[in-house]
Amino acid sequence: MPMRSVNGTRLYYEDTGGAGDVVLFSHGLLWSTRLFDPQVEALRGRFRCIAYDHRGQGQSDVPPESAIDVETVYADAVALIESLGVAPVHFVGLSMGGFVGMRLAARRPDLLRSLVLLETSADPEPPMNVPRYTALNLVARYVGLGPVATPVMRIMFGASFLTDPGRAEERALWRARLVGNRRDIYRAVNGVIQRKPIADELPRIRTPTLVVVGEEDRATVPAKSERIHSLIPGSKLVRLSRGGHSSSVEEPALINAELAPFLTQHASNQAAHAG
């Protein structure tokens, strides 16, 4: 199992190898590298794709802290990129992964070639969400995610995915992955609920940035992406006609149709010619 010791922890990662530009994928809360399987599959011929699990999630090590601070998760990403010697990378972050990506672009632009922000927010957790998310997290901590899987699925996925009769098998798979989280996932959830805003740092970003949001995202509504777009100079915003908070797996064709041209546009000369 490929693990990398960085910043006082061990992170699990998957690397397709290859000679192209590196695309580094950073997943959303409660998930893992699996969130980007459709993107890795689509891009692996032209790019070297690396996806990793945040500390306290997926197959990465779990720290003792009761809240895994987003600033720590950002520092992990810096250390991972430097440890692997792959900078500058194209960074693709969904939700929590986006929190990391925005910090990287604002503070360590030398590590990035381009930035893709999917279903994310530059603001703190809205106060109206905090009591509900805290309650769900208490259940996760003491009983596991099984009893709260249905409401969490409604947060994580849009109506089109949740109601399509032809996708029952996919829904069952993602529900099983959700319920399969260890009870100590609560540490990562606390860090996200308690996160500080990053909006005031966004105007300094000069990395080419693509912001994508699905119209059905309830967790970070489209207005959040509109705000990010307005704050990052020269960024491009795409609002998908469908897709919720996990658009990479809900609407992989729509995501890939935006992702591949953007990455190719901002690829190094060598990678562009190879593609």
Side-chain angles (χ1 to χ4, degrees), residues 77-144:
V78 170
L80 181 66
I81 294 169
E82 292 181 335
S83 169
L84 292 172
V86 291
V89 303
H90 302 276
F91 191 93
V92 180
L94 188 147
S95 188
M96 182 179 185
F99 306 160
V100 174
M102 286 181 274
R103 285 164 172 78
L104 282 168
R107 303 170 188 173
R108 290 299 306 273
D110 56 304
L111 299 180
L112 300 192
R113 202 179 287 282
S114 73
L115 175 63
V116 181
L117 300 171
L118 309 173
E119 320 296 341
T120 193
S121 168
D123 302 311
E125 193 60 51
M128 59 185 279
N129 290 353
V130 171
R132 180 171 166 231
Y133 288 1
T134 302
L136 291 172
N137 201 30
L138 276 171
V139 176
R141 178 176 182 173
Y142 292 107
V143 190

Side-chain angles (χ1 to χ4, degrees), residues 38-269:
Q39 287 68 49
V40 171
E41 193 52 44
L43 296 170
R44 63 186 302 156
R46 290 155 59 195
F47 295 91
R48 177 181 169 188
C49 297
I50 301 175
Y52 72 99
D53 291 344
H54 299 299
R55 69 165 68 198
Q57 298 188 71
Q59 297 179 70
S60 290
D61 283 355
V62 181
E65 295 83 13
S66 63
I68 301 171
D69 187 71
V70 168
E71 294 295 333
T72 302
V73 180
Y74 151 71
D76 290 348
V78 170
L80 181 66
I81 294 169
E82 292 181 335
S83 169
L84 292 172
V86 291
V89 303
H90 302 276
F91 191 93
V92 180
L94 188 147
S95 188
M96 182 179 185
F99 306 160
V100 174
M102 286 181 274
R103 285 164 172 78
L104 282 168
R107 303 170 188 173
R108 290 299 306 273
D110 56 304
L111 299 180
L112 300 192
R113 202 179 287 282
S114 73
L115 175 63
V116 181
L117 300 171
L118 309 173
E119 320 296 341
T120 193
S121 168
D123 302 311
E125 193 60 51
M128 59 185 279
N129 290 353
V130 171
R132 180 171 166 231
Y133 288 1
T134 302
L136 291 172
N137 201 30
L138 276 171
V139 176
R141 178 176 182 173
Y142 292 107
V143 190
L145 278 161
V148 294
T150 297
V152 173
M153 287 287 287
R154 285 198 295 265
I155 294 167
M156 289 292 171
F157 297 95
S160 298
F161 179 80
L162 290 175
T163 58
D164 185 341
R167 302 185 75 177
E169 211 171 299
E170 278 181 87
R171 283 194 297 276
L173 172 65
W174 284 99
R175 188 186 183 97
R177 285 172 171 167
L178 177 69
V179 173
N181 273 297
R182 299 168 302 211
R183 285 193 296 172
D184 52 29
I185 191 71
Y186 80 87
R187 302 172 194 272
V189 178
N190 279 338
V192 167
I193 293 173
Q194 297 167 18
R195 73 184 183 276
K196 300 286 192 290
I198 186 70
D200 62 338
E201 295 184 47
L202 299 190
R204 78 170 74 134
I205 292 178
R206 295 295 178 266
T207 304
T209 302
L210 171 66
V211 184
V212 182
V213 65
E215 290 295 335
E216 301 170 327
D217 188 345
R218 297 190 192 95
T220 51
V221 294
K224 298 290 182 185
S225 288
E226 297 272 6
R227 175 162 152 79
I228 291 169
H229 168 56
S230 74
L231 290 170
I232 299 180
S235 60
K236 178 186 178 186
L237 174 70
V238 175
R239 289 181 63 151
L240 304 176
S241 57
R242 298 186 307 279
H245 196 58
S246 307
S247 56
S248 58
V249 292
E250 293 174 66
E251 301 294 342
L254 295 182
I255 291 290
N256 293 350
E258 300 298 337
L259 192 56
F262 178 79
L263 295 175
T264 302
Q265 179 188 350
H266 298 289
S268 64
N269 289 335

